[in-house]
Amino acid sequence: MQVVLGPNRYGKAETRLVRVVRDGDVHHLKDVNVSTSLSGEMEQVHLTGDNAAVLPTDTQKNTVYAFAKKHGLRQIEDFALLLAAHFVDTQPTIHHARVEIEEYLWRRLPERGHSFVRDGTEVRTCLVHHDRDGRSTVVSGLKDLVVLNSTGSEFHGFLQDGYTTLRPTTDRVLATAVTARWRHARPPADYGPSHARVRQDLLDAFAGTHSLSLQQTLYAMGERALTGGPGLCEIRFAMPNRHHFLVDLAPFGLDNDNEVYYAADRPYGLIEGSVLREDAPDAGFAWE
Ligand SMILES: O=c1[nH]c(=O)c2[nH]c(=O)[nH]c2[nH]1
């Protein structure tokens, strides 16, 4: 039986990097997790162990740190583009680079210029590709944006079969941890304000939508982000439905008028979907 090498890539996953910029007594902090992944002329390393085409993952990690010093680190998308282009443009055997970055957010404490507190659970993300034909794609995003509406959410009119026990409700808690990733029709002038704008659009739509299902809320959030400011053409979501079940307090002679909930962590409904402009340009390898 004949076998052949299939698609492959290799790289250094999760290079943790903290960059401090000292502006006198006031420090600026960037805390990121960088994963690089390269592909190209990798037949020989897999078939015979000849490493001549391989840029070591250790070198990839070193490059991340060196570039943080040489070029600074402002918007993660720009840093990822710089790294991806570097690997492809300097190594003929590397035909494609994929760089994924997570950024953990810190807020400076007001009293001091160099003390920080982690800003919630939210993570900013990006996924960048660059190939040897000079094509680049950028997907920006966020994850673990935890939101909750304590009313303004209903769920009824759903299919019922012999296994259905869920009661229809016209007033429930709606909570989720949003993962959203998006691409722009054209690169924005600055990924920072664009990210802030999309994030605010998502929050406004979550809060402002009287929800008949999390699916409806997802679409409303996508629609808002696409019709808002920063020129998005596609946004994809994964939203776990963080169920809040009313606790039955009747055994204790107490009523429970939507006041006391059991916040379940699993299982959870997982609602996923995308919203895109009808004329969205082809995504190419952007999401891979
Ligand atoms: O918003 C919801 N969508 C569903 O598809 C679903 N399914 C379910 O059990 N609860 C919910 N809630």
Side-chain angles (χ1 to χ4, degrees):
M1 187 184 38
Q2 194 73 27
V3 297
V4 293
L5 179 67
N8 61 86
R9 62 190 188 201
Y10 79 104
K12 191 67 97 189
E14 304 208 39
T15 296
R16 292 283 287 110
L17 157 69
V18 173
R19 173 78 159 95
V20 178
V21 173
R22 292 160 178 262
D23 181 8
D25 282 347
V26 177
H27 291 187
H28 304 270
L29 202 66
K30 280 281 183 187
D31 180 359
V32 296
N33 194 14
V34 182
S35 295
T36 58
S37 193
L38 309 180
S39 48
E41 295 167 27
M42 297 299 147
E43 288 76 18
Q44 289 312 312
V45 61
H46 288 92
L47 270 50
T48 70
D50 176 351
N51 295 322
V54 175
L55 185 71
T57 69
D58 191 63
T59 306
Q60 297 175 39
K61 176 256 301 171
N62 291 342
T63 309
V64 170
Y65 289 123
F67 270 36
K69 169 65 182 165
K70 277 170 68 175
H71 303 288
L73 172 46
R74 278 168 289 275
Q75 302 304 326
I76 53 175
E77 290 89 344
D78 295 326
F79 192 63
L81 281 164
L82 200 65
L83 283 166
H86 165 80
F87 292 127
V88 173
D89 296 349
T90 59
Q91 298 299 338
T93 60
I94 308 298
H95 298 176
H96 190 114
R98 176 189 192 277
V99 179
E100 196 167 8
I101 303 184
E102 293 190 342
E103 179 179 0
Y104 312 114
L105 307 171
W106 294 85
R107 191 157 34 87
R108 196 182 298 103
L109 293 176
E111 309 83 54
R112 293 158 72 88
H114 55 266
S115 299
F116 299 85
V117 58
R118 255 304 284 278
D119 212 358
T121 57
E122 188 183 341
V123 176
R124 181 172 163 182
T125 64
C126 77
L127 170 61
V128 161
H129 288 269
H130 182 80
D131 76 359
R132 67 171 167 172
D133 297 326
R135 289 178 300 188
S136 299
T137 58
V138 177
V139 169
S140 301
L142 53 79
K143 65 179 190 179
D144 291 332
L145 178 66
V146 180
V147 287
L148 182 151
N149 285 328
S150 56
T151 189
S153 169
E154 313 183 21
F155 189 63
H156 47 77
F158 43 82
L159 287 173
Q160 308 233 11
D161 68 8
Y163 299 107
T164 304
T165 57
L166 185 71
R167 293 242 195 85
T169 176
T170 55
D171 191 1
R172 67 173 181 172
V173 168
L174 184 68
T176 186
V178 179
T179 295
R181 301 193 301 154
W182 57 85
R183 58 189 181 100
H184 296 82
R186 275 176 303 285
D190 187 332
Y191 283 100
S194 171
H195 187 279
R197 174 66 193 265
V198 176
R199 180 182 184 279
Q200 193 57 51
D201 283 343
L202 298 180
L203 291 176
D204 288 347
F206 179 81
T209 302
H210 183 98
S211 176
L212 300 178
S213 66
L214 187 50
Q215 288 89 330
Q216 182 205 17
T217 297
L218 178 154
Y219 185 79
M221 292 167 72
E223 189 177 36
R224 180 77 63 96
L226 286 174
T227 54
L232 306 196
C233 61
E234 181 176 5
I235 184 163
R236 297 185 178 186
F237 294 99
M239 296 206 220
N241 193 352
R242 294 199 167 176
H243 303 298
H244 286 62
F245 296 115
L246 269 181
V247 179
D248 180 9
L249 299 176
F252 320 119
L254 299 169
D255 62 6
N256 187 2
D257 188 15
N258 284 349
E259 287 179 295
V260 179
Y261 294 90
Y262 164 57
D265 74 335
R266 67 195 71 175
Y268 50 87
L270 182 58
I271 311 300
E272 298 175 283
S274 60
V275 185
L276 60 167
R277 271 178 26 186
E278 273 180 342
D279 62 349
D282 182 50
F285 39 58
W287 300 101
E288 284 168 21

